[in-house]
Amino acid sequence: MALYSEKVMDHFRNPRNVGVIEDADGVGEVGNAKCGDIMKMYLKIENDIIEDVKFETFGCGSAIASSSMATEMIKGKPVAEAMKLTNKAVAEALDGLPDYKMHCSVLAEEAIKSALEDYEKKRAEKTDAQ
Amino acid sequence: MIYADNAATTRISDAALNTFITLSRDTYGNASSLYTVGQRAKEALEQARADIASVIHAEPREILFTSGGSEADNQAIRSAAVLGLSKGKKHIISSAFEHHAVLHTLNKLEKEGFSVTLLPVHEDGLVRPEELEDAIREDTCLVTIMYANNEIGTIQPIRELGAVCRKHGVIFHTDAVQAIGHIPVDVEADNIDMLSASAHKFHGPKGVGFLYAKKGIRLTNLIEGGAQERGKRAGTENIPGIAAMATALKEAIASLSERAEYVAARRDRLIAGLSAIPHSALNGDATKRLPSNVNFCFEGIEGESLLLLLDDRGIMASSGSACTSGSLDPSHVLLAIGRVHDVAHGSLRLSLGDDITDDEVDYIIKNVSEVVTYLRGFSPIWRDLTAGKKPFIL
C-alpha cells in the first residue's frame, strides 16, 4: 500500500521490542481506546542507561510502527538523551507519516516521556526511603 | 487474492465493459445531434432507460441518469425539500446510519431552516415502521431511509416504511445503492417514491447512476445548462456508462436469486467461522442482511492494522475504525447500533463477491483468526481485559 513508507510497513510488519518487562523500572501508558490508540512502554534502566525497552500498542499501522521505531531510538541511550526524543524525529526515522497520522508519533514520544517520568518518580521514592 | 470489498466497489462485468467499449468507439455521437451516429446514441440512451425502468417496475420517464448514488441522493432530497418549502413543510425524517450523501445534505438543509429527525436503528440495525409513524408530523415533507446499509448490510423493512409514508402522504425516498442488483427491488410494490442507485455497486462502471422519481414529483436541478434529462440534469449524457450500467443491471437481475442463495450460504459459513473467535460479535441482524455482507467487531484490536495484515495475506476488506476514515471517531453506523468507541475501532467488513468459494471462506476465517490473535498478543487493552482489570464488552 502506498499509504505508508516502506520503513513504516517494515516496523509495522516486524515490530521491534514488542512485549512486557515484568520488573520494569519505568512504565508509561498514553492514549485512550475512545480515539483508537493506546501505547504502553516498559523501561529497564541501569546506571542511567536504558538497557531494555518493550512496548504494547493498540492502534493502527502507524501507531505500531511509531512505537517500534521509538523503542529502537532510545534503546542503549542515556536517560537524558531519551528525554529529548521528539515525535518529529520518530516520524523522520520512519521516512515520514501521512499528516493525519502524525499524532501516532506524538503518542510514541509521550509514551516514552511518561515511562521516563515514572522511572524518575520511582527513583525519587527509593532515594527518600533510603 | 480474495477481493472482499464489493460494498466499496465491484469489478466491471465483461458484458458491461463490452457495452462501454462499443458505445465509446462506435456510437460516440452526441445524443442531441440530428445525424445518424447521434441518433444511435440517443437510441442507446433511451433503451438503457427503458431497461432500467422495467427492472425496478418503473416507467422510463421516471428514470433520471446521474453521476452516481451521491448525486441521486442529493437531488432527491433537495427536490423534496423545495416541494416541501412551497407548502410550508420543513420537516424531514431519516435514520441515524444513512450514507453521508444523505446525512450531509440533511445537515445543510438544517442550516437552511429545516428540522430533521433521525430515527434510531437499534442493535439489530433496523428501523421500526411504528417509530417512523410516531415521528411523522403535519409538516413532514420527506422520509429518506436507505434500503440496505452500506457497512453492516441490514435490509430495512422498506415496504412497510413506504406504506406508512403513503398513509400520511409523505414522499418516501430510499438510497438503494447497496440493494439494487443484489436483492429484489420493486418501486411499485415497495411503495417507493424516489430511489437512488449507483452502477459500480453491481458490476457496472464508476461515475454513473440513476434517480427514480415517481411521476408527478417535480425535480430540482443540481446542475444547470442544456436540456438533457428533460431539463433536470444538464450535461452531455455519459452514454457508454449509462448503457453499460443497464447491461450490468440486467445481468445482475437475471441471476439474482441463485446468486443471492449461493453467496448467502458462504456468508453464513463465514459468520459461523468468525463467531468462534472469542470476544467477537456480528454487527447487525444475522438474517435481514445483504447476501454478501459480513461485519464483525473484535475486542482489543484496531481495524486498520487488521486490514493491513489481511492485505499482506491477500485478503482485501474494510473497517469502520477511525484510522481508516481519517477522523478520530469510528463509523457512525457502528455507533448508531450501540457499539461503544473501544469496540467500534476493531471492526471488519467483508463484502463477498459472487464467485466466493468455501475454500476462500475458510481461508478468510483462518487468517482473520490468526491476525486477531497476533494483534491481541501485544495490545495493552487485551492485557487489561484478560487480566480482569477491565470487563469485556463483547
Side-chain angles (χ1 to χ4, degrees), chain A residues 1 3-4 9 12-15 18-20 22 29 32-40 42 55-64 100-101 103-104, chain B residues 299-309 311-312 322-330 341-342 345-346 374-375 377-381 383-384 389-390:
Chain A
M1 271 192 205
L3 170 65
Y4 293 130
M9 287 310 290
F12 166 64
R13 289 188 179 113
N14 311 293
V18 169
V20 178
E22 292 297 348
E29 184 175 316
N32 64 67
K34 199 164 182 272
C35 299
D37 290 299
I38 296 181
M39 282 182 201
K40 196 165 183 179
Y42 302 85
F55 80 90
E56 291 183 305
T57 291
F58 161 89
C60 58
S62 60
I64 292 170
Y100 71 104
K101 298 283 190 177
H103 72 97
C104 293
Chain B
E299 195 160 7
I301 62 150
E302 194 280 329
E304 191 209 83
S305 37
L306 174 60
L307 293 189
L308 292 170
L309 292 173
D311 184 42
D312 282 350
C323 279
T324 55
S325 70
S327 77
L328 276 182
D329 281 319
H341 279 68
D342 309 36
H345 286 296
Y374 165 73
L375 288 171
F378 60 96
S379 158
I381 295 189
R383 169 171 301 279
D384 286 351
K389 286 187 193 162
K390 268 206 303 197

Side-chain angles (χ1 to χ4, degrees), chain B residues 302-349:
Chain B
E302 194 280 329
E304 191 209 83
S305 37
L306 174 60
L307 293 189
L308 292 170
L309 292 173
L310 289 177
D311 184 42
D312 282 350
R313 293 161 182 241
I315 299 166
M316 287 165 268
S318 77
S319 169
S321 86
C323 279
T324 55
S325 70
S327 77
L328 276 182
D329 281 319
S331 140
H332 70 289
V333 173
L334 297 175
L335 297 179
I337 62 165
R339 295 288 184 219
V340 295
H341 279 68
D342 309 36
V343 166
H345 286 296
S347 79
L348 175 70
R349 179 186 72 181

Side-chain angles (χ1 to χ4, degrees), chain B residues 112-144:
Chain B
E112 293 167 24
F114 281 78
S115 69
V116 174
T117 302
L118 296 182
L119 297 173
V121 289
H122 304 272
E123 203 183 330
D124 56 10
L126 298 167
V127 172
R128 306 285 189 267
E130 58 274 19
E131 290 183 344
L132 170 61
E133 185 143 32
D134 289 345
I136 290 181
R137 312 191 314 212
E138 280 297 312
D139 63 340
T140 305
C141 63
L142 170 70
V143 172
T144 172

Side-chain angles (χ1 to χ4, degrees), chain A residues 13-102:
Chain A
R13 289 188 179 113
N14 311 293
R16 282 61 145 179
N17 306 310
V18 169
V20 178
I21 300 173
E22 292 297 348
D23 57 343
D25 299 308
V27 179
E29 184 175 316
V30 295
N32 64 67
K34 199 164 182 272
C35 299
D37 290 299
I38 296 181
M39 282 182 201
K40 196 165 183 179
M41 295 276 178
Y42 302 85
L43 302 175
K44 192 78 201 154
I45 297 172
E46 273 170 51
N47 302 323
D48 254 18
I49 301 287
I50 298 171
E51 293 292 337
D52 198 10
V53 48
K54 298 269 189 222
F55 80 90
E56 291 183 305
T57 291
F58 161 89
C60 58
S62 60
I64 292 170
S66 297
S67 319
S68 168
M69 179 55 87
T71 58
E72 268 208 329
M73 291 171 82
I74 62 159
K75 197 168 174 177
K77 298 277 162 62
V79 168
E81 201 175 312
M83 269 314 264
K84 287 186 201 146
L85 181 79
T86 64
N87 82 294
K88 230 180 131 209
V90 174
E92 271 167 19
L94 288 167
D95 290 342
L97 287 171
D99 283 349
Y100 71 104
K101 298 283 190 177
M102 282 303 285

Side-chain angles (χ1 to χ4, degrees), chain B residues 34-310:
Chain B
L34 289 175
Y35 41 75
T36 312
V37 75
Q39 286 309 299
R40 290 260 161 79
K42 177 85 177 158
E43 284 161 24
L45 176 67
E46 295 315 321
Q47 186 59 52
R49 199 184 308 278
D51 288 345
I52 287 169
S54 90
V55 159
I56 61 165
H57 213 160
E59 286 178 29
R61 55 174 293 176
E62 296 173 319
I63 304 295
L64 176 99
F65 293 120
T66 67
S67 64
S70 292
E71 185 188 333
D73 283 340
N74 272 260
Q75 191 162 8
I77 294 167
R78 279 277 163 198
S79 300
V82 168
L83 288 170
L85 204 54
S86 70
K87 296 174 194 152
K89 296 182 171 190
K90 292 173 77 175
H91 177 236
I92 298 174
I93 301 170
S94 188
S95 83
F97 73 169
E98 294 296 312
H99 191 274
H100 286 123
V102 168
L103 290 178
H104 288 177
T105 305
L106 295 178
N107 286 346
K108 277 208 149 178
L109 286 171
E110 274 186 309
K111 289 190 186 119
E112 293 167 24
F114 281 78
S115 69
V116 174
T117 302
L118 296 182
L119 297 173
V121 289
H122 304 272
E123 203 183 330
D124 56 10
L126 298 167
V127 172
R128 306 285 189 267
E130 58 274 19
E131 290 183 344
L132 170 61
E133 185 143 32
D134 289 345
I136 290 181
R137 312 191 314 212
E138 280 297 312
D139 63 340
T140 305
C141 63
L142 170 70
V143 172
T144 172
I145 293 170
M146 67 201 323
Y147 209 113
N149 183 266
N150 51 313
E151 288 187 36
I152 61 171
T154 49
I155 301 168
Q156 303 308 312
I158 289 297
R159 195 164 297 185
E160 292 77 6
L161 296 170
V164 170
C165 294
R166 285 279 151 89
K167 186 176 147 193
H168 293 272
V170 178
I171 292 176
F172 180 47
H173 166 255
T174 184
D175 173 341
V177 164
Q178 294 289 333
I180 292 266
H182 302 284
I183 54 173
V185 173
D186 179 324
V187 293
E188 199 172 287
D190 291 343
N191 306 308
I192 295 165
D193 298 316
M194 289 201 276
L195 171 148
S196 305
S198 177
H200 74 102
K201 306 290 191 185
F202 50 79
H203 301 281
K206 290 160 183 63
V208 58
F210 67 88
L211 170 62
Y212 156 79
K214 195 178 169 64
K215 227 177 345 186
I217 294 179
R218 192 184 160 80
L219 293 176
T220 298
N221 287 47
L222 299 181
I223 302 172
E224 303 289 351
Q228 293 91 352
E229 299 299 288
R230 301 161 63 86
K232 295 303 171 192
R233 204 278 185 181
T236 299
E237 303 89 340
N238 170 13
I239 293 175
I242 289 166
M245 166 165 69
T247 301
L249 187 55
K250 280 192 293 178
E251 213 181 9
I253 297 299
S255 62
L256 189 138
S257 53
E258 62 184 273
R259 257 187 322 120
E261 196 183 329
Y262 176 85
V263 178
R266 270 81 215 159
R267 172 198 70 192
D268 293 342
R269 184 186 181 96
L270 183 52
I271 290 173
L274 295 179
S275 298
I277 297 174
H279 305 289
S280 67
L282 177 71
N283 292 314
D285 191 271
T287 54
K288 289 176 187 150
R289 66 193 301 130
L290 293 170
S292 59
N293 180 288
V294 174
N295 190 313
F296 266 79
C297 282
F298 302 105
E299 195 160 7
I301 62 150
E302 194 280 329
E304 191 209 83
S305 37
L306 174 60
L307 293 189
L308 292 170
L309 292 173
L310 289 177

Side-chain angles (χ1 to χ4, degrees), chain B residues 20-34:
Chain B
F20 192 94
I21 291 169
T22 305
L23 280 152
S24 303
R25 190 180 49 204
D26 304 334
T27 318
Y28 53 82
N30 189 316
S32 304
S33 305
L34 289 175

